[in-house]
Amino acid sequence: MNKRNAIKWIAAGAGWTAAASALGLGLTACSESKPSFNAVDLTGADYAKDFKLTDADGKERSLADFKGRVVVLFFGYAQCPDVCPTTMTEMAQVKQQLGKDGDKLQVVFITVDPARDTPAVMKAYMGAFDPGFVALIPTPEQLAAIAKDFKVYFKKVEGKTPTSYSMDHSAASYVYDTQGRLRLYARYGAGVAPMVADIKALLKS
């Protein structure tokens, strides 16, 4: 390309840019900026992708049932003395602080103690925090499989009697976007405000 043609090409490009600007056709970069989260960003992770477990009403559930909502998934058990009730209380506060977007949040609780966490127990437990929270009750075989797939730790700790045992378990939550994709790993004790901010960011993205 000679110098005269090059100048014509540059001038034409400048003219197109000016015209686009005049028409309100803002020029943007090809790559979109990634949202910033308080929790650990797991976008693209190849595990913890889905589940098929029975809820307290006997209905099989999967992530597809909650499409259009941000899902916060937690593993715990009803007789947990501290971590579980604290997390569920915080999630109830998160839902409240989301205001009109509260109905776009779905909390899912998977018990690691299916022997004691019967459907009746789980209904009452979820109801104590928010009736909209969903409890899932795996069989022992399903629990072992999903714990492996979701990289979740749990272990029975014997008590003074056969039924007074406790359960050690992972205390973090997985967060999925409205399309059912795993996005975040929220550590226990991170607080309500950071979770609210992360959920709002996922709802906007």
Side-chain angles (χ1 to χ4, degrees), residues 75-77 110-114 138-148 151-157 166-171:
F75 288 79
Y77 69 112
I110 299 179
T111 179
V112 296
D113 186 17
T139 64
E141 293 76 19
Q142 287 174 324
L143 177 56
I146 196 171
K148 182 178 180 181
K151 304 184 185 298
V152 168
Y153 168 82
F154 74 95
K155 181 180 180 181
K156 183 177 180 179
V157 179
S166 61
M167 300 293 295
D168 284 345
H169 63 91
S170 301

Side-chain angles (χ1 to χ4, degrees), residues 16-28:
W16 185 90
T17 302
S21 178
L23 292 172
L25 305 177
L27 302 178
T28 59

